[in-house]
Amino acid sequence: MKQKFDVLVIGGGNAALCAAISARRAGASVLVLEGAPKFYRGGNTRHTRNMRCAHDAATEILTGPYTEEEFWDDLLRLTGGQTDEELAKFMIRESKDILNWIVEQGVRWQPSLGGTLSLGRTNSFFLGGGRAMLNALYLTAEKLGIEIAYDAEVVDIRIEGGMFLSAKLKQPIDGASEIRASALVAAAGGFEANIEWLKEYWGEAADNFLIRGTPYNRGSILKMLLDKGVQDIGDPTQCHAVAIDARAPKFDGGIITRHDSVVFGIVVNKHAERFYDEGEDIWPKRYAIWGRLVAAQPDQIAYIIFDSTVLTSFMPTLFPPIAGTTLAELAGKLGLAPAALEKTVTDFNAAVQPGTFDHTILDDCRTAGITPPKTHWARRIETPPYLAYPVRPGITFTYLGTRVNKQARMVMKDGKPSANMFAAGEIMAGNVLGKGYAAGIGMTIGSVFGRVAGREAAKNARN
């Protein structure tokens, strides 16, 4: 550890491992510092399922083409144009190679999962999920001779004139408390697990947020970089946040706490009032807005209400639904005013128009005469038992990050690229994601920019 490495990678998830492997394959000596213990290594990658990549034709595990143009159109709509077009199109173009490159690193794919996901054409699913994907990358890294240290928390980074010099460790490793390297790749995630930092932008509401992923993403590396002259990008209130079960743990609940049942029912707040169109668009393009929607409701709590006819229509979660033989009984169990819930459901049922239900397309089942409308998949809620899931905002990762260019090189506050610092993954996702989210894009950002950052860092170190 007292030697000088060519490339130092701070982080331990998908982006970090892609960077480390890429740098090592380019001939660099590489050290990975993972702040978490070995069992919890990998940040949010442990909880992922799939990756969204452009491809020109169907494959063994993808049902059809997903062109660069369609990917860009999807990204443009979900971000509302709040994206760096040059970087985003670069990422999409590079993603076409990632599908094969990631397999070359030991990762295996499986056919798409069904239900409301509708991702069989656009997204590749990891065989065994995110943890299996992560284990494959770590195995490859170890075989390549990449040094990996766990419980390796970095407490300071020395930067002079836009150049990385060394990283200081909280606890020495093999007698070394300072690590020197010719180039740095920062891939240590966002600050979603730092409730106090979230409260700077969200106020007391942040106390009611649940963190879907790792408790180790506290943003310490991001804060150091921004404090030491790296240019920031992104709105600190924007994040990938979904509605997750209110009964989930504060941290690390993961994918099994997410609810995909919204399109099959209605969502009400603590006053038993609907507040948004549950059928606005295909679920993978809208599921990630519901965290912010619930965050804006009183006490940051909401309830998905549906009936027994749709119970097997979506992927089940860890927690069972709360049931009532009548709406009044259900309301009592949820702590809602029975008369208010009965009125909301009655008004909704009266507004439902005749149509042909099909959750895989934007069907013609809609409401008329109520606000907010339900523009697709609207069906009457009338078959007991009546069911509900309580949900809270579940933050996956934050979008405030470090600005980078197409070489994944960090840009300093004076507008000049850093001499030897690169970034990949959630710590720079705000370059592509100004707001909004679609399934699998976080992994795409991590893999693409991780691969680029490692390659460029190795090249920089050799020079």
Side-chain angles (χ1 to χ4, degrees):
M1 290 295 172
K2 292 180 180 178
Q3 73 182 63
K4 183 177 182 181
F5 289 86
D6 291 329
V7 177
L8 174 65
V9 178
I10 302 178
N14 169 52
L17 270 292
C18 285
I21 290 169
S22 177
R24 183 68 184 135
R25 291 198 183 280
S29 60
V30 182
L31 170 64
V32 173
L33 297 178
E34 164 61 286
K38 185 174 183 178
F39 181 81
Y40 290 106
R41 71 184 183 184
N44 288 335
T45 303
R46 293 180 298 120
H47 297 301
T48 59
R49 292 191 293 206
N50 60 78
M51 186 189 302
R52 179 180 295 255
C53 293
H55 49 277
D56 294 327
T59 70
E60 289 182 0
I61 48 93
L62 291 162
T63 60
Y66 186 50
T67 64
E68 292 180 45
E69 292 74 22
E70 185 181 358
F71 195 159
W72 166 245
D73 183 61
D74 284 343
L75 184 62
L76 197 61
R77 282 189 292 119
L78 67 93
T79 61
Q82 294 184 37
T83 182
D84 182 317
E85 182 172 350
E86 183 184 18
L87 268 186
K89 287 185 172 178
F90 168 77
M91 179 200 75
I92 291 168
R93 188 165 62 250
E94 290 283 312
S95 76
K96 295 173 84 168
D97 287 337
I98 285 293
L99 277 174
N100 291 323
W101 184 83
I102 206 83
V103 170
E104 292 167 3
Q105 315 317 317
V107 176
R108 297 170 65 191
W109 303 116
Q110 69 176 39
S112 172
L113 302 176
T116 49
L117 294 173
S118 305
L119 297 172
R121 182 173 63 84
T122 60
N123 288 42
S124 302
F125 278 70
F126 306 119
L127 180 63
R131 191 183 283 271
M133 182 260 195
L134 193 67
N135 288 344
L137 293 181
Y138 269 100
L139 185 61
T140 296
E142 289 161 2
K143 286 178 178 177
L144 290 173
I146 293 168
E147 299 270 353
I148 301 166
Y150 300 103
D151 288 306
E153 184 180 347
V154 173
V155 293
D156 193 24
I157 299 174
R158 280 185 62 207
I159 299 171
E160 291 181 10
M163 176 177 281
F164 167 78
L165 299 175
S166 64
K168 185 179 180 182
L169 296 167
K170 184 176 183 178
Q171 301 288 345
I173 299 173
D174 293 344
S177 57
E178 191 164 21
I179 306 295
R180 296 179 302 129
S182 298
L184 169 72
V185 177
F191 65 94
E192 66 277 1
N194 189 331
I195 304 299
E196 291 308 309
W197 195 354
L198 290 175
K199 286 170 78 169
E200 290 182 23
Y201 311 112
W202 289 90
E204 297 304 312
D207 282 329
N208 288 326
F209 294 176
L210 302 176
I211 316 307
R212 295 174 73 205
T214 177
Y216 295 95
N217 279 9
R218 297 185 51 78
S220 56
I221 303 301
L222 172 62
K223 201 167 190 58
M224 287 176 216
L225 292 169
L226 299 184
D227 287 347
K228 292 174 184 285
V230 175
Q231 190 177 147
D232 68 348
I233 191 166
D235 177 347
T237 70
Q238 291 292 339
C239 53
H240 172 13
V242 304
I244 71 171
D245 202 290
R247 297 164 288 184
K250 185 69 174 178
F251 297 100
D252 236 3
I255 202 81
I256 56 172
T257 62
R258 191 179 103 190
H259 286 293
D260 296 325
S261 53
V262 168
V263 299
F264 296 102
I266 61 174
V267 185
V268 302
N269 60 20
K270 66 178 285 189
H271 302 302
E273 298 167 341
R274 291 177 61 242
F275 52 88
Y276 197 80
D277 179 358
E278 300 91 349
E280 185 177 42
D281 204 347
I282 296 292
W283 186 236
K285 297 178 184 178
R286 282 295 178 272
Y287 79 97
I289 69 171
W290 281 91
R292 293 182 62 84
L293 291 171
V294 175
Q297 297 307 303
D299 295 340
Q300 296 72 54
I301 187 78
Y303 305 88
I304 306 169
I305 309 290
F306 52 100
D307 69 17
S308 59
T309 63
V310 301
L311 187 56
T312 60
S313 299
F314 50 85
M315 294 187 67
T317 71
L318 178 64
F319 300 94
I322 297 165
T325 54
T326 65
L327 287 169
E329 181 187 349
L330 180 64
K333 290 183 177 181
L334 300 176
L336 303 177
L341 182 60
E342 287 173 333
K343 182 180 188 308
T344 294
V345 174
T346 299
D347 291 348
F348 173 79
N349 287 346
V352 172
Q353 304 299 297
T356 303
F357 180 84
D358 185 346
H359 75 81
T360 66
I361 62 171
L362 297 175
D363 70 8
D364 61 351
C365 294
R366 60 182 183 85
T367 59
I370 58 169
T371 302
K374 185 172 181 180
T375 48
H376 305 286
W377 314 301
R379 292 187 294 180
R380 292 165 65 90
I381 299 170
E382 57 187 2
T383 307
Y386 299 99
L387 304 159
Y389 289 118
V391 290
R392 288 201 181 277
I395 296 190
T396 309
F397 64 91
T398 47
Y399 290 176
L400 175 68
T402 60
R403 187 181 290 276
V404 299
N405 62 19
K406 284 198 298 184
Q407 287 75 48
R409 192 183 291 266
M410 291 187 228
V411 177
M412 307 305 289
K413 285 177 180 167
D414 61 7
K416 295 177 182 176
S418 163
N420 64 346
M421 296 192 298
F422 304 82
E426 294 171 3
I427 201 169
M428 49 67 62
N431 290 271
V432 175
L433 295 170
K435 70 173 186 179
Y437 191 77
I441 285 186
M443 292 297 284
T444 313
I445 293 171
S447 296
V448 167
F449 286 101
R451 184 187 180 195
V452 171
R455 183 176 67 218
E456 295 297 325
K459 187 189 302 181
N460 188 94
R462 287 201 309 271
N463 292 337

